[in-house]
Amino acid sequence: MIDIDFIVGFKTKTNYKNAFKNAKASYLNRIRWAVSIFYFGMGLCFATWASRIPSIKAALHLTDGQLGTILFALPLGQLTMMFFSGKLVTRFGSHRILPFSILMYAFSLTNLGLSQNALHLGLGLYVLGIFGNLSNIAVNTQGVYTEVLFRKTIMSSFHGVWSLAGFTGALVGLGMLALKLTTYTHFIIVAGIVLLLVALNFKFLIKAKETVRPENKKGFRKPDKSLIMLGIIGFCSMASEGIMFDWSGVYFKDVIKTPGPLVILGYTSFMIMMASGRFFGDGFINKFGRKRVMQISGVLISSGLFTAVLFPYIIPATIAFMFVGLGVSTIIPTLYSIAGKHPTIPTGEALTAVSSVSFLGFLMGPPVIGYIAELFGLRFSFAFIGIFGFGIALMVSRIRAID
């Protein structure tokens, strides 16, 4: 249970139902805006780093192989922090951890602009991964609390804001390159923007006290089966998402034989539909229920990937990748929403459990695709991942926590 004891403008020791009744709509909307802005800040930082990878690669004279090896430092830092994020958020509160972690995330970003060699860059990415994971757990904990106050599904819209920040960061990156600003200057400007966003919004975060059953406070806790199942669903979704990020351009170039700059068409169509699906997904979930929407999402993922395999032509493949983007758009936000409301496990720890298993799919999916493609071809590897969508639809029907 989440005992809300602080909402903007007043204090209360009642439970969240009474807090919702007593809170003014303007307060609730301001809280939602504040949490959304923190999601935006995280997405902006990540997209800013991604937009400058080619510049950093060139400045440090890295080969493709060297860059690929160094990039592993980012997920390694995230995986390291996964063991601690949930406990830190539970102990100190997401309202304290989030402002600290996102500022450190932005500060870590600026350090990347000072890298003088591969070792500096690797260490910087490792630290960026640490604070990225801590920010992720803290911001999604705030997302769950806010959703509880609104008594309806709004988590997908938060993740939609993250996706919107990704587009914004990419556009800002193009602008900075056009102005011929250095990478460090670019990162400092973005860090300053994040600092301003935090300063204007941190006081609107929700302070919440979580009650934990005595038997769960100390000692070994047996893994919760429902959280494991949610994690497996997340694994399948993020594996599908991961191959879109890393392999969609290669698929359009090598399989579809798309000419010139049109190789980004598949990735772009995927990203647009993923972002759109997150902004509109909450409405569909509130109308049709989580279970039905997630089942349809799984079918969309599989249908999209199999269509791209069976019809390797530019128009059907573009439409197919749009299906995949729409399919993955609401799955992870919905899983976080469900896990965060677990009746016996603190929100931060439940989110860590689900996100840890899910994130393995994002890490393992792209390399596995590469190995399968090496043996059987890229079309076969996409068909292999296409099975995951049907797996999602089947698993969703077996979990009682998904209504």
Side-chain angles (χ1 to χ4, degrees):
M1 294 293 293
I2 301 171
D3 181 20
I4 304 294
D5 59 8
F6 176 80
I7 297 180
V8 182
F10 66 94
K11 292 185 177 181
T12 175
K13 292 186 177 180
T14 184
N15 59 35
Y16 67 83
K17 291 182 179 179
N18 288 333
F20 177 86
K21 292 177 181 178
N22 294 331
K24 293 182 179 180
S26 59
Y27 285 157
L28 295 183
N29 289 329
R30 187 62 183 86
I31 291 170
R32 184 174 180 176
W33 270 106
V35 175
S36 296
I37 288 171
F38 275 91
Y39 274 93
F40 185 89
M42 283 191 60
L44 182 63
C45 285
F46 183 80
T48 298
W49 147 246
S51 71
R52 281 288 186 160
I53 291 177
S55 300
I56 293 175
K57 178 177 180 291
L60 299 182
H61 306 290
L62 300 174
T63 66
D64 290 342
Q66 289 173 329
L67 179 62
T69 301
I70 293 170
L71 290 179
F72 269 110
L74 179 61
L76 183 60
Q78 292 175 318
L79 286 172
T80 301
M81 198 61 193
M82 280 181 180
F83 295 100
F84 309 101
S85 295
K87 294 185 182 299
L88 288 172
V89 169
T90 300
R91 180 174 180 179
F92 297 104
S94 57
H95 63 290
R96 295 190 183 98
I97 293 293
L98 181 53
F100 164 77
S101 61
I102 197 170
L103 288 176
M104 291 303 297
Y105 190 45
F107 176 73
S108 302
L109 174 69
T110 63
N111 285 340
L112 300 180
L114 297 174
S115 300
Q116 298 296 313
N117 53 51
L119 178 60
H120 291 166
L121 181 60
L123 290 174
L125 285 174
Y126 181 78
V127 175
L128 187 72
I130 286 175
F131 288 109
N133 179 261
L134 185 59
S135 298
N136 178 56
I137 299 303
V139 77
N140 279 294
T141 299
Q142 281 290 314
V144 171
Y145 293 167
T146 307
E147 190 174 70
V148 167
L149 288 180
F150 276 81
R151 297 195 296 185
K152 65 179 181 179
T153 301
I154 59 174
M155 185 66 81
S156 291
S157 66
F158 288 141
H159 286 251
V161 171
W162 188 95
S163 298
L164 180 62
F167 286 115
T168 303
L171 292 175
V172 171
L174 288 174
M176 296 295 180
L177 288 170
L179 294 172
K180 297 182 179 181
L181 295 179
T182 66
T183 300
Y184 181 67
T185 301
H186 178 185
F187 289 176
I188 282 290
I189 291 173
V190 171
I193 293 172
V194 172
L195 175 61
L196 179 62
L197 294 178
V198 171
L200 294 176
N201 292 280
F202 78 94
K203 64 181 180 180
F204 295 99
L205 295 177
I206 297 172
K207 178 181 178 182
K209 179 181 179 182
E210 299 202 37
T211 57
V212 186
R213 291 184 178 183
E215 63 267 25
N216 290 330
K217 288 184 178 180
K218 294 182 179 181
F220 175 77
R221 181 188 298 154
K222 185 178 180 180
D224 186 89
K225 291 183 179 178
S226 64
L227 293 182
I228 293 175
M229 286 295 294
L230 293 177
I232 293 173
I233 293 173
F235 178 97
C236 294
S237 177
M238 293 202 74
S240 305
E241 185 176 334
I243 67 168
M244 288 291 103
F245 279 108
D246 290 3
W247 287 96
S248 58
V250 178
Y251 193 88
F252 262 61
K253 180 180 179 181
D254 295 347
V255 176
I256 300 176
K257 308 296 183 183
T258 307
L262 289 180
V263 294
I264 68 169
L265 189 59
Y267 174 77
T268 304
S269 64
F270 164 78
M271 285 296 296
I272 290 174
M273 291 308 294
M274 183 173 73
S276 300
R278 286 177 170 174
F279 281 114
F280 293 105
D282 289 327
F284 286 106
I285 290 172
N286 289 318
K287 184 175 181 178
F288 300 108
R290 292 190 180 102
K291 180 170 292 187
R292 182 174 297 180
V293 170
M294 290 184 72
Q295 287 172 330
I296 294 173
S297 296
V299 172
L300 283 173
I301 292 172
S302 291
S303 299
L305 289 171
F306 284 130
T307 298
V309 170
L310 294 174
F311 303 98
Y313 309 104
I314 187 168
I315 293 178
T318 300
I319 296 173
F321 281 22
M322 293 172 70
F323 284 169
V324 179
L326 192 59
V328 301
S329 63
T330 59
I331 291 179
I332 292 299
T334 303
L335 294 177
Y336 285 178
S337 175
I338 297 168
K341 298 182 181 70
H342 195 284
T344 61
I345 298 177
T347 299
E349 295 184 30
L351 288 172
T352 301
V354 173
S355 65
S356 298
V357 179
S358 300
F359 189 68
L360 288 177
F362 195 80
L363 291 179
M364 295 174 61
V368 168
I369 282 290
Y371 295 135
I372 296 176
E374 188 73 21
L375 294 173
F376 305 105
L378 196 55
R379 290 175 68 185
F380 183 88
S381 60
F382 266 59
F384 174 77
I385 298 296
I387 300 172
F388 287 10
F390 290 136
I392 291 172
L394 291 174
M395 285 186 285
V396 164
S397 62
R398 298 191 169 201
I399 301 179
R400 293 181 180 179
I402 303 177
D403 51 29

